[in-house]
Amino acid sequence: MLIAAAAAGLITIATSIFLTLPQPQPPSFFHSLFLSQSDNDSISHHLHTLTRRPHIAGSDANSAAAAYVLSTLTSYSIPSHTTPYFTSLAYPLHRSLTLTLPPPLPPIEFSLRQEIYAGDPYAGEVTPTFHAYAKSGAAAGPAVYANYGRAEDFAALAAAGVNLSGAVAVARYGKIYRGDIVMNAAAAGAAGAVVFTDRKDYGGERWFPEEWWMPPSGVQVGSVYTGAGDPTTPGWPSTEGCERVTEEEVEESGEVPLIPSLPVSWADGDAIMRSMGGPVADEDWQGRKDAGVYRVGPGPGVLNLDYQGKQVITKIENVIGIIQGSEEPDRYVILGNHRDAWTFGAADPNSGTACMLEVARRMWKLQKKGWKPRRTILFCNWDAEEYGLIGSVEWVEENRQMLESRAVAYLNVDVAVSGPGFDTSATPQLDELLVQSAKQVMDPDNSSQTIYDSWTSSTGGAKVGRLGGAGSDYSAFVQHIGVPSADIGIGGGYPVYHSRYDDFVWMSKFGDPMFRRHAAVASIWGLVALRLADDVILPFNYISYAHELQVSAEELKGQVLHRSLTIVPMIKSINEFKKAAIQINDEKKALEGSWTTMWKDGQKVREVNDRLMMAERAFTDREGLKGGSWYKHLIYAPAKHNGYGSTSFPGIYEEIEKAKRVNSSESWRAVQHEIWRVARVIKQAALCLRGDLT
Ligand SMILES: *[C@@H]1O[C@H](CO)[C@@H](O)[C@H](O)[C@H]1NC(C)=O
Ligand SMILES: *[C@@H]1O[C@H](CO)[C@@H](O)[C@H](O)[C@H]1NC(C)=O
Ligand SMILES: *[C@@H]1O[C@H](CO)[C@@H](O)[C@H](O)[C@H]1NC(C)=O
């Protein structure tokens, strides 16, 4: 009995030693293990901890959140550090807004406060509602309704003979970047701008905490800066004591509006709209049926707005965690998400932060089982994204040379979860990998199908968006230095966006009651990263890129027809690019078909991978978009007048817009020049993929 027990004990010890020794398992074994390690409770715990207090960039609370991310990554055995920058951030000092009505109506003084809801466990102060980097000053003038504040909305007002000069433009949120709304209002001559949440777009019959809609007093806070990175250090990192441009030079850059503006709630917007006289606005400018008829103005109500802000050089902190690659430590697969929030940030952005910590936790489990990534994996938790992508831009600017030569891919998650429905955008060589990964993760809202199934059934195909907008931290990676990138999330727009109601209660009641959507985002995000880090040959397929370029060229054709312009040079380049994409795919197949060659010929593998990695860089141009722009990518960059937009060939379309206005032979030649430039970068990409010198 005793002996038998001892023998059994020995056997147990022997097997446990054997089991804990690193197993030479193939990467796919670890990738399956990664998917099986999902833990929604842990994600919920991280989110709850991160969102206890409002944590705007530069605040103590956000510094505490950075410390939490740092210590959590460290507890998962991931060596981590903090990279600080010193950046110009804006905070509100004073705000007021009054609507003066014709007598005998009394003036309305708006409180500009978001009400605390019944049962709010946080109930404390959040940052007063404001537009970051709005011009300090007062503006008074008749209210004029400008719909969504797009260029075409102001053009329609001009066509209808409505003079914005000296007026206060009243526009609603929702179609374009708020900075562009205010810029467009300023360009139309407005003295100030008020941007409201329209109940039609963000409100329901009932609202949070009963339902997921924006409460009447909820306000969408946000930045109106239209550039990227610290406005006082254009193109270089905001390190301590570095060179800076003056506030006057920032104003001259044209990237901050030169008129004051304020965001307001749907209740306040409703009161302003009900005061409006003048002609009835068009049908597509109207609000909800019960909102009363929207009129254009001007007046008779006069809006008097006053905004005073301060800009201070403030310390921000990126947290960087590193899992060193075993075979190619000098190749980086980068996961990024920001941490700073306008208020509590449960959806935006800490649903993403919680997912990043979940990916880190699962990779720690894998490491304990003997997994070592082939390439280095970086976890980047950015600061001050809300102000203008500042943490990521400063870091990319500081590390530009290293990243240009070593970054394999950048995988962004901003709002990880805001409701149901998989949503992804990427540079096209990542399409296939995203599809493959979506096929391996179950739909958190229907356990009998994969994310791929629900994604394709709701969109009629695996629809991947593109990264032409400047909506999040992928901007510096794709648009400044040309790193293949993806942006991943579940859910789309959501009504409490950037308001004080984006808190843990909202998330656990409406955004993701079981935290299974979070777990699914972590699964896809991590799986894509694991494939990029572990596959011997990088899982990039440039044929979809060629296809995408062809489609964009076809669209362009319609624009330049009958104008003595030609897109033939571009078509030629695309054809060469497509041939090169087919060729490198064949090389990949040949290598993969012969594992012994692949094993022995590390040089060849590395050479093919470098071509796959660098082809995206070739779409960037040293000069960038017109005027020495920071945006270097000629295929994907923000379109003028709408930072959220995502078109291809922004430089060409910019010149087309101009030429349509000016209609001189010179202006059309400028369009042709832009077509040539795009043709040349595509040719560069083709040469890079081929790996031949001419
Ligand atoms: C608009 O009004 C301003 C002043 O109120 C005036 O100077 C300007 O000429 C007007 N513009 C047009 C196009 O009527
Ligand atoms: C869940 O998926 C199954 C299998 O694809 C499908 O038949 C079913 O309609 C889906 N259920 C819902 C509620 O979408
Ligand atoms: C995690 O998911 C399980 C069901 O899969 C659920 O019972 C549990 O409540 C979830 N945890 C949280 C924090 O929502």
Side-chain angles (χ1 to χ4, degrees), residues 38-71:
S38 164
D39 182 351
N40 60 336
D41 291 335
S42 166
I43 298 172
S44 158
H45 171 76
H46 289 314
L47 187 67
H48 188 242
T49 311
L50 287 162
T51 58
R52 266 188 208 137
R53 288 196 283 160
H55 49 287
I56 193 170
S59 65
D60 290 344
N62 200 38
S63 195
Y68 179 74
V69 171
L70 184 75
S71 69

CSV table of all heavy atoms in Angstrom, one decimal, residues 38-71:
chain,number,residue,atom,x,y,z
A,38,SER,N,-10.2,32.0,-23.3
A,38,SER,CA,-11.0,33.1,-23.1
A,38,SER,C,-11.6,33.3,-21.7
A,38,SER,O,-12.0,32.3,-21.1
A,38,SER,CB,-12.1,33.0,-24.1
A,38,SER,OG,-13.2,33.9,-23.8
A,39,ASP,N,-11.5,34.5,-21.1
A,39,ASP,CA,-12.0,34.7,-19.8
A,39,ASP,C,-12.8,36.1,-19.7
A,39,ASP,O,-12.2,37.1,-19.5
A,39,ASP,CB,-10.8,34.7,-18.8
A,39,ASP,CG,-11.3,34.8,-17.3
A,39,ASP,OD1,-12.5,35.2,-17.1
A,39,ASP,OD2,-10.4,34.7,-16.5
A,40,ASN,N,-14.1,36.0,-19.8
A,40,ASN,CA,-14.9,37.3,-19.8
A,40,ASN,C,-14.9,37.9,-18.5
A,40,ASN,O,-15.0,39.2,-18.4
A,40,ASN,CB,-16.3,37.0,-20.4
A,40,ASN,CG,-17.1,36.0,-19.5
A,40,ASN,OD1,-16.5,35.2,-18.8
A,40,ASN,ND2,-18.4,36.1,-19.5
A,41,ASP,N,-14.8,37.2,-17.4
A,41,ASP,CA,-14.8,37.8,-16.1
A,41,ASP,C,-13.5,38.7,-15.9
A,41,ASP,O,-13.6,39.8,-15.3
A,41,ASP,CB,-14.8,36.7,-15.0
A,41,ASP,CG,-16.1,36.0,-14.9
A,41,ASP,OD1,-17.1,36.6,-15.4
A,41,ASP,OD2,-16.2,34.8,-14.5
A,42,SER,N,-12.4,38.2,-16.3
A,42,SER,CA,-11.2,38.9,-16.2
A,42,SER,C,-11.3,40.3,-17.0
A,42,SER,O,-10.9,41.3,-16.6
A,42,SER,CB,-10.0,38.1,-16.7
A,42,SER,OG,-8.9,38.8,-16.9
A,43,ILE,N,-11.9,40.2,-18.2
A,43,ILE,CA,-12.0,41.4,-19.0
A,43,ILE,C,-12.9,42.4,-18.3
A,43,ILE,O,-12.6,43.6,-18.2
A,43,ILE,CB,-12.7,41.0,-20.4
A,43,ILE,CG1,-11.8,40.1,-21.2
A,43,ILE,CG2,-13.0,42.3,-21.2
A,43,ILE,CD1,-12.4,39.5,-22.4
A,44,SER,N,-14.0,41.9,-17.8
A,44,SER,CA,-15.0,42.8,-17.0
A,44,SER,C,-14.3,43.4,-15.8
A,44,SER,O,-14.5,44.6,-15.6
A,44,SER,CB,-16.2,41.9,-16.6
A,44,SER,OG,-16.8,42.5,-15.5
A,45,HIS,N,-13.4,42.7,-15.2
A,45,HIS,CA,-12.7,43.2,-14.0
A,45,HIS,C,-11.8,44.3,-14.5
A,45,HIS,O,-11.7,45.4,-13.9
A,45,HIS,CB,-11.9,42.1,-13.3
A,45,HIS,CG,-11.0,42.6,-12.3
A,45,HIS,ND1,-11.4,43.0,-11.0
A,45,HIS,CD2,-9.6,42.8,-12.3
A,45,HIS,CE1,-10.3,43.5,-10.4
A,45,HIS,NE2,-9.3,43.4,-11.1
A,46,HIS,N,-11.0,44.1,-15.6
A,46,HIS,CA,-10.1,45.2,-16.1
A,46,HIS,C,-10.9,46.4,-16.4
A,46,HIS,O,-10.5,47.5,-16.1
A,46,HIS,CB,-9.4,44.7,-17.3
A,46,HIS,CG,-8.3,43.6,-17.0
A,46,HIS,ND1,-7.4,43.8,-16.0
A,46,HIS,CD2,-8.0,42.5,-17.7
A,46,HIS,CE1,-6.6,42.7,-16.0
A,46,HIS,NE2,-7.0,41.9,-17.0
A,47,LEU,N,-12.0,46.2,-17.1
A,47,LEU,CA,-12.8,47.4,-17.6
A,47,LEU,C,-13.3,48.2,-16.4
A,47,LEU,O,-13.3,49.4,-16.3
A,47,LEU,CB,-14.0,47.0,-18.5
A,47,LEU,CG,-14.7,48.2,-19.1
A,47,LEU,CD1,-13.8,48.9,-20.1
A,47,LEU,CD2,-16.0,47.7,-19.8
A,48,HIS,N,-13.8,47.4,-15.4
A,48,HIS,CA,-14.4,48.1,-14.2
A,48,HIS,C,-13.3,48.9,-13.5
A,48,HIS,O,-13.5,50.1,-13.1
A,48,HIS,CB,-14.9,47.0,-13.3
A,48,HIS,CG,-15.7,47.6,-12.1
A,48,HIS,ND1,-15.3,47.4,-10.8
A,48,HIS,CD2,-16.8,48.4,-12.1
A,48,HIS,CE1,-16.2,48.1,-10.0
A,48,HIS,NE2,-17.0,48.7,-10.8
A,49,THR,N,-12.1,48.3,-13.4
A,49,THR,CA,-11.0,49.1,-12.7
A,49,THR,C,-10.6,50.3,-13.5
A,49,THR,O,-10.3,51.4,-13.0
A,49,THR,CB,-9.8,48.1,-12.6
A,49,THR,OG1,-10.2,46.9,-12.0
A,49,THR,CG2,-8.7,48.7,-11.7
A,50,LEU,N,-10.5,50.2,-14.8
A,50,LEU,CA,-10.0,51.3,-15.7
A,50,LEU,C,-11.0,52.4,-15.7
A,50,LEU,O,-10.7,53.6,-16.0
A,50,LEU,CB,-9.8,50.8,-17.1
A,50,LEU,CG,-8.5,49.9,-17.3
A,50,LEU,CD1,-8.6,49.1,-18.6
A,50,LEU,CD2,-7.3,50.8,-17.3
A,51,THR,N,-12.3,52.2,-15.5
A,51,THR,CA,-13.3,53.2,-15.7
A,51,THR,C,-14.0,53.7,-14.5
A,51,THR,O,-15.1,54.3,-14.5
A,51,THR,CB,-14.4,52.6,-16.7
A,51,THR,OG1,-15.0,51.5,-16.1
A,51,THR,CG2,-13.9,52.3,-18.0
A,52,ARG,N,-13.3,53.5,-13.3
A,52,ARG,CA,-13.9,54.0,-12.1
A,52,ARG,C,-14.0,55.5,-12.0
A,52,ARG,O,-14.9,56.1,-11.4
A,52,ARG,CB,-13.1,53.5,-10.9
A,52,ARG,CG,-13.7,52.2,-10.4
A,52,ARG,CD,-13.0,51.8,-9.1
A,52,ARG,NE,-13.1,50.4,-9.0
A,52,ARG,CZ,-12.1,49.6,-8.7
A,52,ARG,NH1,-11.0,50.0,-8.3
A,52,ARG,NH2,-12.3,48.3,-8.7
A,53,ARG,N,-13.0,56.2,-12.6
A,53,ARG,CA,-13.0,57.6,-12.6
A,53,ARG,C,-12.8,58.2,-14.0
A,53,ARG,O,-12.3,57.5,-14.9
A,53,ARG,CB,-11.7,58.1,-11.8
A,53,ARG,CG,-11.9,57.8,-10.3
A,53,ARG,CD,-10.8,58.6,-9.5
A,53,ARG,NE,-9.5,58.0,-9.6
A,53,ARG,CZ,-8.4,58.7,-9.4
A,53,ARG,NH1,-8.4,60.0,-9.1
A,53,ARG,NH2,-7.2,58.1,-9.5
A,54,PRO,N,-13.3,59.4,-14.2
A,54,PRO,CA,-13.1,60.0,-15.5
A,54,PRO,C,-11.5,60.2,-15.6
A,54,PRO,O,-10.9,60.5,-14.7
A,54,PRO,CB,-13.7,61.4,-15.4
A,54,PRO,CG,-14.6,61.4,-14.2
A,54,PRO,CD,-14.1,60.3,-13.3
A,55,HIS,N,-11.0,59.9,-16.8
A,55,HIS,CA,-9.5,60.0,-17.0
A,55,HIS,C,-9.1,60.6,-18.3
A,55,HIS,O,-8.6,59.9,-19.2
A,55,HIS,CB,-8.9,58.6,-16.7
A,55,HIS,CG,-9.5,57.5,-17.5
A,55,HIS,ND1,-10.8,57.0,-17.2
A,55,HIS,CD2,-9.1,56.8,-18.6
A,55,HIS,CE1,-11.0,56.0,-18.1
A,55,HIS,NE2,-10.1,55.9,-19.0
A,56,ILE,N,-9.3,61.9,-18.4
A,56,ILE,CA,-8.9,62.7,-19.5
A,56,ILE,C,-7.3,62.7,-19.6
A,56,ILE,O,-6.7,62.6,-18.5
A,56,ILE,CB,-9.5,64.1,-19.4
A,56,ILE,CG1,-9.4,64.9,-20.7
A,56,ILE,CG2,-8.8,64.9,-18.2
A,56,ILE,CD1,-10.2,66.2,-20.7
A,57,ALA,N,-6.8,62.8,-20.8
A,57,ALA,CA,-5.3,62.9,-20.9
A,57,ALA,C,-4.7,64.0,-20.0
A,57,ALA,O,-5.3,65.0,-19.9
A,57,ALA,CB,-5.0,63.1,-22.4
A,58,GLY,N,-3.6,63.7,-19.4
A,58,GLY,CA,-3.0,64.6,-18.5
A,58,GLY,C,-3.4,64.6,-17.1
A,58,GLY,O,-2.9,65.3,-16.2
A,59,SER,N,-4.5,63.9,-16.8
A,59,SER,CA,-5.0,63.9,-15.4
A,59,SER,C,-4.4,62.9,-14.5
A,59,SER,O,-3.8,61.9,-15.0
A,59,SER,CB,-6.6,63.6,-15.4
A,59,SER,OG,-6.8,62.3,-15.9
A,60,ASP,N,-4.4,63.0,-13.2
A,60,ASP,CA,-3.9,62.0,-12.3
A,60,ASP,C,-4.6,60.7,-12.5
A,60,ASP,O,-4.0,59.6,-12.4
A,60,ASP,CB,-4.1,62.5,-10.8
A,60,ASP,CG,-3.2,63.7,-10.5
A,60,ASP,OD1,-2.3,64.0,-11.3
A,60,ASP,OD2,-3.5,64.4,-9.5
A,61,ALA,N,-5.9,60.8,-12.7
A,61,ALA,CA,-6.6,59.5,-12.9
A,61,ALA,C,-6.1,58.7,-14.1
A,61,ALA,O,-6.0,57.5,-14.1
A,61,ALA,CB,-8.1,59.8,-13.1
A,62,ASN,N,-5.7,59.5,-15.2
A,62,ASN,CA,-5.2,58.7,-16.3
A,62,ASN,C,-3.8,58.2,-16.1
A,62,ASN,O,-3.4,57.2,-16.6
A,62,ASN,CB,-5.2,59.6,-17.6
A,62,ASN,CG,-5.2,58.8,-18.8
A,62,ASN,OD1,-5.8,57.7,-18.9
A,62,ASN,ND2,-4.5,59.3,-19.8
A,63,SER,N,-3.1,58.9,-15.2
A,63,SER,CA,-1.8,58.4,-14.9
A,63,SER,C,-1.9,57.1,-14.0
A,63,SER,O,-1.2,56.1,-14.2
A,63,SER,CB,-1.0,59.5,-14.1
A,63,SER,OG,0.3,59.2,-14.0
A,64,ALA,N,-2.9,57.1,-13.1
A,64,ALA,CA,-3.2,55.9,-12.4
A,64,ALA,C,-3.6,54.8,-13.3
A,64,ALA,O,-3.2,53.6,-13.1
A,64,ALA,CB,-4.3,56.2,-11.3
A,65,ALA,N,-4.4,55.1,-14.3
A,65,ALA,CA,-4.8,54.0,-15.3
A,65,ALA,C,-3.6,53.5,-16.0
A,65,ALA,O,-3.5,52.3,-16.3
A,65,ALA,CB,-5.8,54.6,-16.3
A,66,ALA,N,-2.6,54.4,-16.3
A,66,ALA,CA,-1.4,53.9,-17.0
A,66,ALA,C,-0.6,52.9,-16.0
A,66,ALA,O,-0.1,51.9,-16.5
A,66,ALA,CB,-0.5,55.1,-17.3
A,67,ALA,N,-0.6,53.3,-14.7
A,67,ALA,CA,0.1,52.4,-13.8
A,67,ALA,C,-0.6,51.1,-13.7
A,67,ALA,O,0.1,50.0,-13.6
A,67,ALA,CB,0.1,53.1,-12.4
A,68,TYR,N,-1.9,51.1,-13.8
A,68,TYR,CA,-2.7,49.8,-13.8
A,68,TYR,C,-2.3,48.9,-15.0
A,68,TYR,O,-2.1,47.7,-14.9
A,68,TYR,CB,-4.2,50.1,-13.8
A,68,TYR,CG,-5.0,48.8,-13.8
A,68,TYR,CD1,-5.1,48.0,-12.6
A,68,TYR,CD2,-5.6,48.4,-14.9
A,68,TYR,CE1,-5.8,46.8,-12.6
A,68,TYR,CE2,-6.4,47.2,-14.9
A,68,TYR,CZ,-6.5,46.4,-13.8
A,68,TYR,OH,-7.2,45.3,-13.7
A,69,VAL,N,-2.3,49.6,-16.2
A,69,VAL,CA,-1.9,48.8,-17.4
A,69,VAL,C,-0.5,48.3,-17.3
A,69,VAL,O,-0.2,47.1,-17.5
A,69,VAL,CB,-2.0,49.7,-18.7
A,69,VAL,CG1,-1.5,49.0,-19.9
A,69,VAL,CG2,-3.5,50.1,-18.9
A,70,LEU,N,0.4,49.1,-16.8
A,70,LEU,CA,1.8,48.7,-16.6
A,70,LEU,C,1.9,47.5,-15.7
A,70,LEU,O,2.6,46.5,-16.0
A,70,LEU,CB,2.7,49.9,-16.1
A,70,LEU,CG,4.2,49.7,-16.0
A,70,LEU,CD1,4.8,49.7,-17.4
A,70,LEU,CD2,4.8,50.8,-15.1
A,71,SER,N,1.3,47.6,-14.5
A,71,SER,CA,1.4,46.6,-13.5
A,71,SER,C,0.7,45.3,-14.0
A,71,SER,O,1.2,44.2,-13.7
A,71,SER,CB,0.9,47.0,-12.2
A,71,SER,OG,-0.5,47.1,-12.2
